[in-house]
């Protein structure tokens, strides 16, 4: 049986202390590309939360009951990529039908969730740390929540600094990278929580 206290520590650790973007540097492409507006960043964060959480559940079940059972764990990366691609297609079809504005705002970054290394990284880490299915789902949700927190904060900062007088050499991506670096330093402060 999984201890609730351990799950809470895992949530804090995965979301804040070991933030997938700011300390593990996974998922940087959508983090930097979709963080221009808070609305699109929140939409991307929600899509990533859905995909990573569901991918953690599905890959956990497939790993425990298929790959391990038939001793074909060497296929885990290929199987996990196929599962993630199918889930992203599902999210894309859902957004295209029910949330057209968000679908158009996310643009090319929505299919890029398939190649977002954070999604695959969580699934592989769940196997690496030998998490049971529930713990893997909690880890996936918390990691995706950390991604959403980071991308929304960066989007909010980018909206604010857009109106500032920034030297020409820092305009655009240089100031975004500096901001992301400062955010990573700030998130290091959460390491004292555990």
């Amino acid at each position: 049986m999984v201890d609730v206290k351990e799950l809470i520590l895992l949530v804090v650790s995965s979301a804040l202390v070991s933030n997938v973007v700011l300390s593990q540097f996974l998922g940087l492409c959508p983090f930097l590309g979709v963080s221009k507006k808070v609305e699109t960043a929140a939409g991307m964060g929600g899509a990533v939360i859905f995909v990573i959480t569901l991918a953690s559940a599905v890959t956990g079940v497939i790993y425990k009951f298929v790959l391990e059972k038939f001793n074909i764990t060497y296929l885990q990366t290929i199987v996990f990529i196929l599962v993630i691609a199918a889930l992203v297609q599902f999210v894309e079809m859902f957004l295209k039908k029910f949330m057209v504005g968000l679908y158009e705002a996310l643009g090319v970054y929505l299919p890029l969730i398939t190649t977002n290394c954070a999604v695959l990284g969580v699934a592989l880490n769940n196997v690496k740390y030998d998490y049971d299915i529930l713990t893997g789902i909690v880890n996936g949700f918390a990691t995706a929540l950390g991604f959403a927190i980071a991308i929304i904060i960066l989007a909010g900062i980018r909206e604010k600094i857009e109106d500032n007088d920034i030297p020409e050499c820092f305009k655009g991506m240089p100031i975004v990278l500096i901001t992301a670096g400062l955010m990573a330093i700030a998130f290091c402060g959460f390491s004292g929580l555990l």
Side-chain angles (χ1 to χ4, degrees):
M1 180 109 185
V2 180
D3 186 21
V4 175
K5 183 179 175 183
E6 288 178 18
L7 289 179
I8 292 171
L9 286 174
L10 180 64
V11 168
V12 172
S13 174
S14 295
L16 300 175
V17 178
S18 299
N19 187 283
V20 70
V21 176
L22 300 174
S23 69
Q24 299 177 29
F25 309 112
L26 297 174
L28 288 175
C29 180
F31 177 69
L32 297 173
V34 184
S35 60
K36 293 179 183 169
K37 300 284 179 203
V38 172
E39 296 83 27
T40 55
M44 176 59 95
V48 168
I49 287 173
F50 177 78
V51 169
I52 289 182
T53 304
L54 200 55
S56 296
V58 173
T59 57
V61 168
I62 290 173
Y63 186 80
K64 295 284 184 200
F65 298 112
V66 178
L67 298 178
E68 276 188 341
K69 183 177 180 181
F70 295 110
N71 198 23
I72 53 173
T73 55
Y74 56 89
L75 293 175
Q76 70 185 11
T77 304
I78 295 169
V79 171
F80 291 177
I81 289 171
L82 291 173
V83 167
I84 292 165
L87 290 172
V88 170
Q89 287 298 317
F90 173 73
V91 169
E92 189 172 5
M93 288 185 305
F94 177 82
L95 290 179
K96 189 174 185 178
K97 181 151 180 99
F98 297 108
M99 302 174 137
V100 178
L102 180 59
Y103 174 78
E104 290 172 357
L106 291 175
V108 70
Y109 293 100
L110 187 57
L112 281 178
I113 295 176
T114 303
T115 59
N116 184 343
C117 53
V119 182
L120 180 60
V122 171
L124 293 175
N125 279 339
N126 288 343
V127 170
K128 176 182 173 185
Y129 298 129
D130 199 29
Y131 289 151
D132 59 38
I133 295 171
L134 175 64
T135 306
I137 293 170
V138 170
N139 180 51
F141 174 78
T143 302
L145 181 65
F147 176 87
I149 290 169
I151 196 170
I152 291 169
I153 290 173
L154 182 63
I157 293 171
R158 284 180 77 172
E159 283 184 358
K160 294 290 183 191
I161 63 175
E162 191 175 279
D163 299 328
N164 293 345
D165 187 26
I166 299 171
E168 193 63 37
C169 62
F170 288 116
K171 286 188 177 179
M173 197 50 66
I175 195 69
V176 173
L177 292 173
I178 291 169
T179 304
L182 292 172
M183 283 177 59
I185 292 170
F187 269 64
C188 285
F190 290 121
S191 62
L193 289 174
L194 301 178

